[in-house]
Amino acid sequence: MPYVHNTLERLRKSSPAQTEFYQAAEEVLECLRPLFERSPYYHDHSIIERIVEPERQIMFRVCWTDDAGRVRVNKGYRVQFNSALGPYKGGLRFHPSVTSGIIKFLGFEQIFKNALTGLPIGGGKGGSDFDPKGKSDAEIMRFCQSFMTELYRYIGPTTDVPAGDIGVGAREIGYLYGQYKRLTGRYEGVLTGKGLNWGGSIGRKEATGYGAVYFAQNMLEARGDSIKGKTCLVSGAGNVAIYTIEKLYEVGAKPVTCSDSRGTLHDPRGVDLALLKELKEVKRTSLEAYLEQHTEASYTPVDDYPTDGHAVWRIEGDVAFPCATQNELTEADAETLLGNGVTCISEGANMPSTAAAVDRFLAARIAYGPGKAANAGGVATSQLEMAQNSSMQQWPLQKVDARLKEIMANIYKQCADTAEEFGEPNNLVLGANIAGFRKVADAMIDQGAV
Ligand code: NDP
């Protein structure tokens, strides 16, 4: 398939150093080969050349003043990748590791994820290399206000609707929204993840984690198995990880781990969810403090991690939920997980497994749910927030949760049916990429060469 190869070569040359973007593009394009063989008209419309190129990339300077009165500078980004299916939709990430390549990889993944939800949303992503850690509330507010002072020109409820991601939770969304309203004078659904008493959707905060568990349930049930009674490994200790753990308890599983950028916690009796929420959502402190109340738990600092991977994946369990960040699960980790008998991986984070780790999971034929399918519950519920905002309604939790469950079941079915259609049953990576791509590509063809 020369044009897949040629497009990847061109990307490698035109986007040097954007390794995560290249990794994501390579995975998608390689999976599409059987589709292109069957449907050569995608080539005639130059769809792959167009789909790997963002419609628009905005980069801007963000100046803000710290508490000592010093002017600080960060980079701001918004990538509006593809609007074939609807307004751009995707989160904002505030983390020192953010680069244009990271935002581009996340925006690219978002296109196919959003398509899989079946809802009218295009793909986008944004963020900054700003580090919220160690900053006062006033500094966070000034940063968010400055960020929005530039971003507000490019977003709107029918053009581009950002949400949260790493480092952007309810507090940051509040400050961003307040500044948007002040600049435009409009009270409208321009951001999702808002507070419940000012336009947010019940269930949005929980949706990504809950959805990742629903996706695991779908995968296991299709194999005649169940999540009930399973010991689960979770990485991360943020929004996605916390609500994955909450839902795991609700469905009768036992989550025994979580982790943050400083270390990994293992509580063989099951993670104390109330304490975890207090440490991470209220006190914003290290997981090590957990040991003060639970002496049976153990804590491994990052310095003691294995050189070829992450301590969390060296612990024994049945099902794994990577919920922290990209490339946090290496090939060596995959080997250990498989050796320990893990039968199911459901990715709450975006691209948490390296390409070599994914190959291991696929070769072992375990139930493997890639992030763009398994964590799509968050963006799906963001779209439900947009629907509630535009109709000036607030739905009850039962309605939101029932819709989320139904959407996750549909995503699973699309991925599984498409994998079957292309002769690779159980390969949900192939299924997710082809099913998501087809929807976007068909819409792009209908809308002409724009
Ligand atoms: P949060 O900021 O709430 O939490 C992130 C967690 O991961 C924190 O515990 C953080 O540790 C840890 N972490 C972040 N970066 C690193 C790193 N480089 N090394 C080790 N640990 C790290 O983010 P979310 O929970 O919202 O997001 C987690 C993942 O889920 C991301 O991949 C995100 O893109 C994805 N996602 C999020 C959605 C959402 O709705 N929020 C939707 C779909 C996907 P520490 O506390 O020490 O910083």
Side-chain angles (χ1 to χ4, degrees), residues 113-291:
K113 180 192 309 196
N114 293 5
L116 286 171
T117 66
L119 300 167
I121 36 181
K125 199 82 189 187
S128 172
D129 59 356
F130 172 74
D131 186 358
K133 274 203 201 101
K135 306 288 188 303
S136 69
D137 269 7
E139 288 176 325
I140 302 269
M141 183 178 74
R142 288 195 292 272
F143 174 81
C144 288
Q145 289 176 340
S146 181
F147 186 87
M148 185 52 85
T149 301
E150 187 61 31
L151 186 69
Y152 87 98
R153 315 161 204 278
Y154 308 105
I155 61 175
T158 57
T159 50
D160 184 353
V161 185
D165 190 81
I166 292 178
V168 179
R171 174 180 58 169
E172 290 75 17
I173 293 289
Y175 294 147
L176 291 163
Y177 191 75
Q179 184 72 352
Y180 177 86
K181 191 161 57 69
R182 180 200 215 177
L183 290 165
T184 62
R186 290 196 295 268
Y187 204 106
E188 55 193 8
V190 70
L191 294 169
T192 56
K194 300 187 289 297
L196 294 187
N197 57 343
W198 49 275
S201 173
I202 293 171
R204 169 61 188 94
K205 181 176 65 170
E206 296 85 353
T208 309
Y210 282 18
V213 176
Y214 292 149
F215 199 84
Q217 278 183 309
N218 279 288
M219 289 193 287
L220 288 167
E221 279 162 19
R223 290 166 176 248
D225 199 351
S226 151
I227 198 152
K228 204 164 175 201
K230 295 271 192 294
T231 297
C232 299
L233 308 175
V234 179
S235 67
N239 173 264
V240 179
I242 288 173
Y243 293 96
T244 295
I245 290 173
E246 182 166 287
K247 183 52 78 177
L248 283 172
Y249 278 123
E250 278 178 33
V251 298
K254 185 165 76 159
V256 294
T257 65
C258 57
S259 66
D260 63 15
S261 53
R262 284 179 272 191
T264 290
L265 181 79
H266 179 207
D267 188 341
R269 298 201 309 196
V271 172
D272 178 341
L273 180 61
L275 179 57
L276 175 64
K277 284 186 180 180
E278 191 190 321
L279 295 178
K280 291 314 237 182
E281 293 186 332
V282 183
K283 295 186 175 158
R284 298 175 193 269
T285 184
S286 160
L287 286 171
E288 201 170 2
Y290 186 98
L291 301 185

